[in-house]
């Protein structure tokens, strides 16, 4: 049941907790009737003595009782001597402590804040305060008031205070003026407002429906929105029509806006396979640079090893192994070429081949770096090769600009990676922008080995990078196809290959590593999954619940991840007086829960047990909630060996992860996987989703659901079309 919003007002009596980075606060507020209320929410720079008018709703916390959750607020400066004294004594203004506050209020009384704002030089009338110090106090006060005024202004149009904090960090006192000139500034990714939020505000303050700022922002919004669908560009006619329909304007107005944006350099227009393609500049630049660099590397002379066979014999002897013909070819090609792609399905020896390449590079004296797109994929690569591997973001040294809060990589053309060779695993997950950054940081003479399975789902980000590189033929690509004897004994491997070839998996084998449990009723299906995780697999197979991953094709519905997570949480980590809880929207997070980060956050800080610190948690990282502290308004999550503290307003970046989608499982491997094939949207019930889910299981694969859905998924080899120009550009450069 949706709780009704209420409005309360009062004076801040105490600030229990304040996060200066994101503005989240827990405060005690004395209401107008004298009662004391706990208020939680984004209240940047909350200060004792301030008066607040807060809109929000009452919530009942399991530990701290009744609290008022602030959604929007109006802030008023204190106007009595006592409240002004409390306000200034709290060190809200740099340079003013309790003793100085007493002197100021003693001298100027209820006019103290007006003096600070309008005539700060008069503070020098007080003994001990120089003119310079007085002016600095006035400047600090105006900065603090400026943020408050910006929050008040944006809150009136239901723009969250967290967006105001990010805006003020970049533009300072100019923020309010800039927003009134062009509210659509707030839709820039660094600020995070949605187009609909800003559009409603802009129309309310008098912007015309056909205003240039509005139409141009809508065009950019359409391009950015479609990045989520994998498109690195949109055909010009489709972009114009979609924007016109969204704004209910004539297509001619949109076309004119597109012309202006092109002239400003805000978009790039190019011809791709006969289409007029409209790009955001960074995606156009990424495609163009990747094309040039890959062609340059592919055209570098092949340097055959004169004693390649002798090297292979040495490696085979050292590792007590005999390589198959294609494995030998791949190992030698990696040493002879500047760029190579190694692909193959499960059980075809990719890891063995990769280890051989590393051994050969060692013999040749090449310094080699290993990387993967996610932390889990990097950890798995390290375990399989016995070498250190890092995430691509860590390898490129992610940094946050202090000027605008945007992410950038320290490694690049001016400070390249220190290596002779770079090997990147799980390439199907790598998108255009990440590949662009990787190539910028790759030394001019270094070689590049790209490893992956092109039959898995494509990257979440825009483009179809790995598939385009393979299909273009621009890079030497070696596909391992032989399934080795040991792998042939695994029904997981054999069924995965069968599905990939459009054949039904064998579902009636009972004594192997692949099981099917028929469930046509969704309630019975969910109950079976919970029982498998909580009791049957731990007791009968010796696989503990934390090593079991449930995968569903969809989020929605009774058999989707949202409901499965709710039921699995109750089964595996039930409510207890000993476990604290935190709520965000409809989600309940409990100490001990398995959770996943669902978007890249480059500026969140993590710590390790050895005291080392770093920044960045990434989409798909899975951890466990270690501690919830309501007094400090934080939730601690342990991601392998890293501990991250989330403020309450960041909980929207977390989801329960007892059950995840196949897309989110990419790059990871689990001891046991339970897959839930059940009715859903045809676009999600595809062969790629089924194949990806199956190849996540290391020891055990259990399918619980409907065999008709499995058959439909096996048959449905549909891949959503993505507008991307890399393959066309590569073929054009090759003269094909």
């Amino acid at each position: 049941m949706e709780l009704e919003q209420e409005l309360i007002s009062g004076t801040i009596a105490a600030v229990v907790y304040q996060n200066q980075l994101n503005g989240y606060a827990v405060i005690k507020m004395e209401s107008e009737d004298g009662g004391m209320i706990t208020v939680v929410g984004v209240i940047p720079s909350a200060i004792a003595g301030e008066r607040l008018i807060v809109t929000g709703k009452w919530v009942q916390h399991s530990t701290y009782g009744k609290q008022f959750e602030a959604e929007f607020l109006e802030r008023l400066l204190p106007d009595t001597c006592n409240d002004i004294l409390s306000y200034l004594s709290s060190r809200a203004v740099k340079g003013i402590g309790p003793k100085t506050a007493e002197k100021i209020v003693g001298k100027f009384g209820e006019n103290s804040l007006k003096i600070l704002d309008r005539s700060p030089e008069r503070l020098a009338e007080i003994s001990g305060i120089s003119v310079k110090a007085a002016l600095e106090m006035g400047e600090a006060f105006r900065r603090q008031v400026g943020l408050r005024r910006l929050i008040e202004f944006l809150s009136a149009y239901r723009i969250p205070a967290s967006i105001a904090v990010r805006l003020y960090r970049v533009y300072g006192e100019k923020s309010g003026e800039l927003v009134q000139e062009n509210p659509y500034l707030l839709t820039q990714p660094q600020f995070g407002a949605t187009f609909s939020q800003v559009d409603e505000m802009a129309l309310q303050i008098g912007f015309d429906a056909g205003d240039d700022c509005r139409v141009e922002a809508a065009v950019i919004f359409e391009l950015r929105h479609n990045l989520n669908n994998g498109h690195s560009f949109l055909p010009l006619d489709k972009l114009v029509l979609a924007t016109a329909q969204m704004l209910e304007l004539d297509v001619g107005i949109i076309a004119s806006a597109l012309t202006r944006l092109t002239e400003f350099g805000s978009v790039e227009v190019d011809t791709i396979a006969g289409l007029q393609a409209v790009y955001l500049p960074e995606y156009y630049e990424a495609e163009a640079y990747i094309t040039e660099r890959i062609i340059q590397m592919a055209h570098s002379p092949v340097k055959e090893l004169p004693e390649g066979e002798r090297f292979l014999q040495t490696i085979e002897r050292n590792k007590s192994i005999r390589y198959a013909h294609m494995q030998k070819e791949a190992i030698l090609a990696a040493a002879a070429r500047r760029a190579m792609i190694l692909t193959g399905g499960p059980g075809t020896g990719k890891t063995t081949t990769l280890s051989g390449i590393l051994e050969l590079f060692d013999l040749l004296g090449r310094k080699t770096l290993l990387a993967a797109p996610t932390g889990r994929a990097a950890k798995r690569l390290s375990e399989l090769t016995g070498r250190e591997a890092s995430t691509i973001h860590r390898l490129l040294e992610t940094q946050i600009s202090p000027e605008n809060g945007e992410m950038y990589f320290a490694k690049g053309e001016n400070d390249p990676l220190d290596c002779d060779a770079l090997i990147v695993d799980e390439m199907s997950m790598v998108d255009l922008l990440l590949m662009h950054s990787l190539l910028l940081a790759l030394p001019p003479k270094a070689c590049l080995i790209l490893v992956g399975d092109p039959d898995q789902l494509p990257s979440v980000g825009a483009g179809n990078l790995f598939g385009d590189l393979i299909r273009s033929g621009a890079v030497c690509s070696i596909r391992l196809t032989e399934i080795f004897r040991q792998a042939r004994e695994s029904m997981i491997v054999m069924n995965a290959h069968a599905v990939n070839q459009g054949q039904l998996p064998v579902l009636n084998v009972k004594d192997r590593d692949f099981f099917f449990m028929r469930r046509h009723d969704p309630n019975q299906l969910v109950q079976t999954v919970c029982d498998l995780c909580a009791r049957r697999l731990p007791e009968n197979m010796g696989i503990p619940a934390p090593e079991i991953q449930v995968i569903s094709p969809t989020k929605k519905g009774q058999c989707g991840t949202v409901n499965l997570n709710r039921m699995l949480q109750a089964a595996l980590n039930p409510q207890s007086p000993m476990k604290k809880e935190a709520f965000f929207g409809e989600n309940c997070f409990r100490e001990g829960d398995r959770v996943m980060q669902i978007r890249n956050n480059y500026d969140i800080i993590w710590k390790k047990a050895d005291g080392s610190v770093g920044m960045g948690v990434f989409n798909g990282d899975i951890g466990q909630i270690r501690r919830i502290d309501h007094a400090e308004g934080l939730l601690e999550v342990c991601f392998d060996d890293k501990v991250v503290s989330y403020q309450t307003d960041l909980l929207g970046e977390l989801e329960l992860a007892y059950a995840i989608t196949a897309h989110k499982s990419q790059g990871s491997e689990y001891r046991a996987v339970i897959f839930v094939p059940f009715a859903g949207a045809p676009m999600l019930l595809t062969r790629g989703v089924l194949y990806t889910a199956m190849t996540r299981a290391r020891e055990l694969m259990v399918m619980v659901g409907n065999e008709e859905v499995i058959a439909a998924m096996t048959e449905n080899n549909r891949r959503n079309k993505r507008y991307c120009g890399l393959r066309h550009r590569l073929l054009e450069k090759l003269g094909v």
Side-chain angles (χ1 to χ4, degrees):
M1 181 177 176
E2 188 69 24
L3 295 174
E4 290 187 6
Q5 284 193 335
E6 293 186 29
L7 185 146
I8 62 173
S9 59
T11 302
I12 298 178
V15 180
V16 178
Y17 172 77
Q18 176 78 75
N19 183 294
Q20 297 299 333
L21 185 64
N22 56 42
Y24 181 82
V26 179
I27 66 170
K28 295 291 184 182
M29 188 174 83
E30 185 178 354
S31 65
E32 292 180 343
D33 61 7
M36 198 63 69
I37 299 169
T38 300
V39 180
V40 298
V42 179
I43 313 172
S45 304
I47 300 166
E50 275 191 288
R51 289 187 296 132
L52 300 182
I53 301 173
V54 188
T55 302
K57 57 190 176 185
W58 291 101
V59 294
Q60 185 67 33
H61 194 276
S62 58
T63 303
Y64 295 97
K66 196 174 183 182
Q67 298 178 335
F68 195 77
E69 195 174 80
E71 295 183 15
F72 301 96
L73 56 93
E74 181 180 355
R75 307 175 72 158
L76 305 171
L77 286 171
D79 55 5
T80 68
C81 287
N82 284 338
D83 287 345
I84 292 172
L85 181 60
S86 296
Y87 175 84
L88 293 178
S89 296
S90 67
R91 300 187 186 277
V93 180
K94 186 178 179 182
I96 300 179
K99 291 184 178 179
T100 305
E102 285 184 14
K103 292 180 181 179
I104 293 173
V105 176
K107 172 77 173 174
F108 299 109
E110 293 180 355
N111 292 318
S112 297
L113 299 185
K114 291 179 182 177
I115 294 295
L116 267 170
D117 185 24
R118 301 171 190 172
S119 308
E121 68 280 357
R122 288 197 59 196
L123 296 178
E125 297 174 12
I126 299 171
S127 175
I129 300 179
S130 66
V131 173
K132 180 183 177 183
L135 294 174
E136 288 174 351
M137 291 175 192
E139 178 62 26
F141 176 72
R142 281 191 293 273
R143 279 199 304 270
Q144 208 256 2
V145 171
L147 175 58
R148 179 170 54 249
R149 286 173 179 162
L150 180 64
I151 290 170
E152 289 175 17
F153 169 64
L154 294 180
S155 293
Y157 299 99
R158 309 192 77 77
I159 303 294
S162 55
I163 292 174
V165 174
R166 291 192 284 269
L167 183 69
Y168 199 82
R169 195 180 300 152
V170 177
Y171 292 113
E173 292 183 9
K174 296 180 181 177
S175 298
E177 180 183 341
L178 290 172
V179 168
Q180 291 187 66
E181 289 176 2
N182 180 10
Y184 298 97
L185 169 75
L186 296 172
T187 61
Q188 293 180 9
Q190 72 217 71
F191 304 129
T194 66
F195 181 83
S196 58
Q197 279 178 320
V198 177
D199 197 41
E200 184 178 346
M201 170 188 172
L203 294 175
Q204 285 183 36
I205 64 177
F207 271 67
D208 185 76
D211 188 275
D212 288 355
C213 290
R214 180 177 190 246
V215 183
E216 290 165 10
V219 172
I220 299 296
F221 164 78
E222 281 290 346
L223 288 170
R224 289 207 175 279
H225 175 74
N226 277 282
L227 296 174
N228 299 323
N229 297 323
H231 305 308
S232 60
F233 72 82
L234 287 180
L236 187 147
D237 57 345
K238 290 183 180 292
L239 173 61
V240 168
L241 183 60
T243 309
Q245 290 174 342
M246 180 178 73
L247 299 182
E248 298 181 345
L249 294 173
D250 185 80
V251 293
I253 296 175
I254 312 302
S256 297
L258 191 52
T259 300
R260 292 193 301 274
L261 288 168
T262 306
E263 292 171 352
F264 299 154
S266 300
V267 301
E268 295 282 349
V269 181
D270 199 2
T271 302
I272 300 293
L275 289 174
Q276 285 290 94
V278 185
Y279 288 85
L280 292 167
E282 60 267 35
Y283 288 87
Y284 175 82
E285 182 183 344
E287 277 193 3
Y289 182 83
I290 292 169
T291 300
E292 292 294 333
R293 189 73 190 272
I294 289 295
I295 292 296
Q296 178 192 47
M297 295 174 75
H299 284 180
S300 295
V302 176
K303 298 179 180 178
E304 300 290 354
L305 287 178
E307 298 181 314
E309 192 59 39
R310 183 177 64 82
F311 278 116
L312 282 174
Q313 291 172 1
T314 301
I315 296 169
E316 287 180 327
R317 187 168 56 251
N318 292 343
K319 298 181 75 68
S320 301
I321 196 172
R322 295 289 293 177
Y323 291 113
H325 172 71
M326 290 303 293
Q327 290 180 309
K328 289 182 178 181
E329 186 177 326
I331 293 169
L332 293 177
R337 297 176 181 272
R338 287 279 312 285
M340 191 196 82
I341 294 173
L342 176 65
T343 73
T348 57
K350 283 202 307 292
T351 302
T352 302
T353 306
L354 190 55
S355 295
I357 292 171
L358 287 167
E359 290 289 331
L360 178 56
F361 284 2
D362 286 348
L363 292 174
L364 295 173
R366 294 185 182 178
K367 182 176 181 179
T368 307
L369 296 176
L370 292 173
T374 67
R376 282 183 165 262
K379 182 180 179 183
R380 179 167 167 254
L381 182 60
S382 292
E383 292 169 350
L384 292 173
T385 61
R387 311 284 184 108
E388 182 183 356
S390 70
T391 63
I392 297 174
H393 287 84
R394 181 183 166 200
L395 186 74
L396 298 178
E397 298 181 11
T398 304
Q399 304 287 328
I400 302 297
S401 168
E403 286 81 23
N404 56 24
E406 291 186 345
M407 185 276 294
Y408 69 95
F409 294 121
K411 292 295 181 182
E413 288 178 304
N414 296 327
D415 183 15
L417 296 167
D418 181 17
C419 67
D420 303 302
L422 173 63
I423 297 175
V424 186
D425 197 13
E426 294 291 351
M427 273 299 300
S428 62
M429 301 179 68
V430 178
D431 63 21
L432 277 173
L433 294 189
L434 196 54
M435 185 64 172
H436 180 213
S437 297
L438 201 57
L439 289 176
L440 283 170
L442 188 70
K445 295 184 179 180
C447 68
L448 179 65
I449 314 297
L450 306 177
V451 184
D453 186 345
D455 296 314
Q456 290 185 28
L457 296 168
S459 63
V460 174
N464 193 17
L465 174 76
F466 198 41
D468 282 355
L469 288 174
I470 293 170
R471 287 194 298 273
S472 71
V475 180
C476 170
S477 181
I478 296 177
R479 184 181 183 105
L480 304 177
T481 56
E482 180 184 348
I483 305 174
F484 290 94
R485 182 182 59 80
Q486 185 177 0
R488 286 200 300 270
E489 296 174 1
S490 166
M491 286 300 296
I492 297 174
V493 171
M494 299 310 292
N495 274 339
H497 281 278
V499 165
N500 200 31
Q501 294 165 17
Q503 301 169 9
L504 286 174
V506 177
L507 302 178
N508 57 1
V509 177
K510 299 295 183 184
D511 59 346
R512 302 283 285 278
D513 57 359
F514 192 105
F515 297 89
F516 172 68
M517 303 177 73
R518 183 180 293 105
R519 296 293 186 274
H520 289 282
D521 178 74
N523 290 320
Q524 290 182 349
L525 185 153
V526 172
Q527 185 178 351
T528 299
V529 169
C530 291
D531 192 38
L532 284 167
C533 292
R535 185 181 62 84
R536 293 169 70 170
L537 294 187
E539 292 178 5
N540 300 333
M541 306 290 289
I543 303 176
E547 297 182 29
I548 303 168
Q549 184 61 61
V550 178
I551 299 177
S552 172
T554 179
K555 288 185 174 183
K556 298 178 180 179
Q558 208 163 342
C559 302
T561 58
V562 174
N563 185 58
L564 282 168
N565 271 316
R566 193 178 296 119
M567 302 303 289
L568 286 165
Q569 182 189 47
L572 300 174
N573 189 32
Q575 193 172 31
S576 164
M578 304 299 293
K579 297 176 182 177
K580 294 178 182 177
E581 296 176 344
F583 293 86
F584 189 90
E586 296 181 355
N587 293 324
C588 169
F589 297 104
R590 189 173 295 143
E591 289 177 335
D593 275 338
R594 187 192 308 176
V595 292
M596 174 182 280
Q597 176 78 15
I598 60 171
R599 62 178 62 92
N600 290 340
N601 186 328
Y602 301 104
D603 56 0
I604 197 167
I605 297 171
W606 50 257
K607 298 179 181 179
K608 290 186 177 182
D610 62 5
S612 61
V613 298
M615 298 178 74
V617 184
F618 304 106
N619 187 1
D621 287 352
I622 290 180
Q624 185 178 39
I625 297 176
R626 192 172 74 167
R627 183 173 73 95
I628 296 174
D629 189 324
H630 292 292
E632 295 186 6
L634 61 83
L635 179 150
E636 280 186 358
V637 179
C638 184
F639 294 97
D640 294 325
D641 59 343
K642 301 171 184 175
V643 176
V644 175
S645 294
Y646 289 81
Q647 302 305 322
T648 307
D649 66 314
L650 285 179
L651 295 188
E653 297 188 1
L654 292 176
E655 286 182 355
L656 293 175
Y658 299 105
I660 61 177
T661 63
H663 286 83
K664 293 292 188 182
S665 72
Q666 284 181 272
S668 298
E669 187 179 66
Y670 310 96
R671 188 175 173 190
V673 167
I674 299 173
F675 184 61
V676 184
F678 206 76
M683 63 183 296
L684 297 174
L685 300 180
T686 67
R687 186 185 301 174
V689 168
L690 180 59
Y691 177 75
T692 299
M694 292 172 72
T695 53
R696 301 306 92 203
R698 185 170 69 249
E699 293 182 19
L700 180 66
M701 179 77 193
V702 183
M703 287 193 179
V704 184
N706 188 335
E707 63 266 52
E708 293 177 1
V709 174
I710 297 173
M713 294 182 77
T714 303
E715 186 177 344
N716 181 10
N717 198 27
R718 169 184 175 181
R719 290 180 179 263
N720 292 334
K721 181 180 179 181
R722 294 185 169 200
Y723 290 113
C724 39
L726 181 62
R727 178 169 173 263
H728 173 80
R729 294 179 190 279
L730 289 167
L731 290 172
E732 195 172 54
K733 286 287 185 181
L734 292 170
V736 178

